[in-house]
Amino acid sequence: MSSTHDTTHDEAFSSPDPAMESPEPGVEEHYPDEWQYIKVALILFLITMAEVGIYYTSGARRAVITLMVFMMIAKFALVALYFMHLRFDSKLFRRLFVTGIILAVAVYLIALSSLHVWQH
Amino acid sequence: MAVTEEVKTPDSTPEEALAHPVTSTGLSNEKIAMWAFLGSECLLFGALISTYLLYRGRSVVGPFPHDVYDIPYTSVSSFVLLMSSLTMVLALAAMQRKDQRRMRVWLLTTALLGATFIGGQVYEFTVFYRAGLSLHENLFGSSFFVLTGFHGAHVTIGILMLLSLYTMSAKGRLAENRVETVELIGLYWHFVDVVWIVIFTMVYLVPGVK
C-alpha cells in the first residue's frame, strides 16, 4: 500500500463525518438492556390493543382514522428506534432508512393524490 | 468510497479480523448495505400498499373486505409477529453476552413465532379463497393477495435465515464475535415486523372504521 493512500486513510479517520458519529461496529454497551426491550414490547402490545379497541368504537370516522395512523406511526417508531437500534446507532443508518421512508411516502402520496384516491 | 481492510496485528485471529473490519467510514459496510436495502424495500412495500389504497372500494363484484376480514384473528397474528421482534432482539442480546445457547433458544422461538404467523396467513388465505376471493376475482383480491403474499414471502425468507443461523450456531460454526451477523438478520426481521404494523392498520383496520 502506498504512503499516499495511508495518509488519506488516516485523514478520513481523524476527521469523521458528523453523520457517522457512532460507537465502533460491534460495540454494544450503548444498546438497551433486556428489561427495556420487554417494556417496549409491552407498550407495543398495549397500543395494538388500543387500536383494535378503537376499531370497534363508533365515533367520528376521520378522528378515529387519524388516531389509528398516529398509533401506527408510534409502533413503527418504537420498533425502529429500540429494536432496530436506530436511536443508539450511527446517524448514517437513520438517514438511509428515513430517506427510503420519506421518498416512498412522498412519491406515493403524490401518485395517489393525482389519482384522486382521497375523494373516493 | 468505503475501503475495507482487515485488522492484521500479530495477535489477531482471522475471526477477530472478520468481526472488526476497518472501513473508511468507521462503520460496517455490511450494516450500511443492509440499511440501504431496507430503505429501498420501503419503496417496494410503499408501491404495494399504494396499489391496495388505489383499488380500495373500486371492486365491482364481491367478496368485499368487510365480507371476509376477521379482525380479532388478524390482531392475534399481529401480536405474534410483534412478539417475534422481542424474541429476536433478546437473541441478539444473548449473542452480545456470548451466550450462544440462550441465543439459539431465542432464535428458535423467533422462527416458531414467524412460522405461526405464516401458518395463520395460509389459513386466512384459505378461508378467503373458500369465500370466493381469489387473485383474479376482483381488484380487492388482486391487491390484497399480492401485498400480503409479498410480505409473507419476506417473513418466510426471514424464517429460513433464522434457522440457518440456528444451525450454524448449533454446529459451532458461528464464532462468538460474529454479533453483527445476528444483528443484520435481526434488522431484516424487525423490518418485516414494521411493514406488518403498516399493513395491519392501513389494510385491515382503517377500511373497516365506521
Side-chain angles (χ1 to χ4, degrees), chain B residues 69-113:
Chain B
Y69 280 171
D70 183 352
I71 296 300
Y73 178 82
T74 314
S75 304
V76 174
S77 288
S78 302
F79 175 70
V80 166
L81 199 61
L82 269 179
M83 290 306 105
S84 75
S85 260
L86 171 65
T87 55
M88 183 67 233
V89 87
L90 291 177
L92 175 63
M95 185 66 179
Q96 286 167 340
R97 290 195 314 269
K98 301 189 190 305
D99 183 353
Q100 288 215 20
R101 195 187 64 80
R102 187 156 290 186
M103 181 205 69
R104 285 196 296 274
V105 171
W106 288 125
L107 280 182
L108 201 59
T109 310
T110 309
L112 284 172
L113 288 169

Side-chain angles (χ1 to χ4, degrees), chain A residues 47-59:
Chain A
I47 296 174
T48 306
M49 293 296 288
E51 266 187 317
V52 178
I54 289 168
Y55 175 83
Y56 287 106
T57 60
S58 51

Side-chain angles (χ1 to χ4, degrees), chain B residues 25 27 35 38 50 59-60 71 89 99 102 109 120 124 126 134 143-144 161 183 186 189 191 200:
Chain B
T25 59
L27 300 167
W35 277 111
L38 296 180
S50 298
S59 294
V60 181
I71 296 300
V89 87
D99 183 353
R102 187 156 290 186
T109 310
E124 185 186 51
T126 309
S134 66
S143 53
F144 174 83
M161 288 198 291
E183 191 173 8
W189 190 261
F191 178 75
F200 180 59

Side-chain angles (χ1 to χ4, degrees), chain B residues 3-43:
Chain B
V3 178
T4 306
E5 292 174 8
E6 289 184 353
V7 176
K8 285 181 180 169
T9 63
D11 300 329
S12 69
T13 63
E15 286 79 17
E16 284 166 348
L18 184 70
H20 300 288
V22 176
T23 65
S24 60
T25 59
L27 300 167
S28 155
N29 285 341
E30 288 82 357
K31 209 166 165 183
I32 292 174
M34 176 54 90
W35 277 111
F37 168 69
L38 296 180
S40 71
E41 285 273 278
C42 291
L43 286 156

